[in-house]
């Protein structure tokens, strides 16, 4: 890994998805604060910030991560590392981590410290991937035991409860999405972009996806702003 010295520079990268934010415990603002504190403590200047908001599957593919691709280009241009708050903000997939290491851009994980060897990053990612697989296997086994014992899974008598729970989950997901994107919109507004249509174009240019993965519209921007 590239040796980082005092007064070095870096590129900051933050990432959330509507499904991952609750599990990670780190929203965009918290990630940025973590990176900023780490950089200040280590005497590193953050030259630029890149923010990814994902809403669909296949999020570990680089072509689905335009802001990470832009961060890589920026880091390569000035020959500096990329800093993330946690390893899973880069990816939860060990193969993706390996692919990123091949880009010849150093990655620093704030929660792991400045001197973490790249081999350890691979190891941490592999352990996390194995843990997810074990959790999935245990869940499937538990459901199979319940089914074998005669339990009716997905009981339709609870359909109304399930519908209410689903509506509540959708509402919570919309609130999380708004909390992630509104800071980006405020930053765009601070740069003098005021109309909802222009903000929609700016979000698309930054690679920020709309809630359902489609194109941003002025109406969607207005709905988000009404939440703020």
């Amino acid at each position: 890994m590239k040796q980082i010295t005092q007064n070095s520079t870096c590129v900051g990268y933050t990432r959330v998805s509507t499904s991952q934010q609750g599990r990670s415990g780190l929203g965009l603002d918290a990630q940025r604060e973590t990176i900023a504190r780490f950089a200040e403590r280590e005497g590193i200047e953050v030259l630029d910030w890149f923010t990814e908001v994902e809403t669909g599957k296949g999020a570990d593919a680089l072509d689905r991560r335009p802001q990470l691709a832009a961060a890589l280009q920026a880091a390569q241009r000035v020959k500096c590392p990329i800093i993330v708050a946690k390893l899973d903000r880069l990816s939860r997939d060990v193969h993706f981590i390996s692919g990123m290491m091949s880009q010849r851009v150093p990655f620093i994980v704030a929660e792991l410290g400045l001197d973490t060897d790249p081999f350890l990053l691979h190891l941490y990612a592999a352990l996390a991937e194995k843990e997810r697989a074990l959790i999935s296997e245990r869940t499937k086994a538990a459901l199979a035991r319940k089914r074998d014992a005669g339990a009716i899974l997905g009981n339709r008598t609870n359909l109304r409860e399930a519908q209410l729970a689903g509506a509540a989950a959708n509402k919570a997901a919309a609130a999380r999405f708004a909390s992630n994107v509104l800071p980006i919109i405020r930053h765009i507004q601070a740069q003098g972009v005021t109309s909802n249509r222009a903000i929609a174009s700016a979000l698309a240019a930054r690679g920020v996806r709309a809630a359902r993965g489609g194109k941003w519209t002025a109406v969607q921007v207005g709905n988000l702003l009404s939440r703020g």
Side-chain angles (χ1 to χ4, degrees), residues 2 9-11 47-50 67 69-82 103-106:
K2 178 182 176 181
T9 57
C10 75
V11 167
L47 295 178
D48 205 353
W49 293 90
F50 294 85
Q67 290 302 296
L72 283 167
Q73 292 176 358
Q76 288 169 341
R77 185 166 56 251
V78 297
K79 297 181 179 179
C80 74
I82 293 175
Q103 298 289 327
R104 296 183 179 179
V105 172

Side-chain angles (χ1 to χ4, degrees), residues 126-139:
L127 290 173
E129 190 173 90
K130 181 63 176 177
E131 181 184 13
R132 291 196 307 277
L134 290 174
I135 292 173
S136 176
E137 290 173 6
R138 287 196 294 267
T139 301

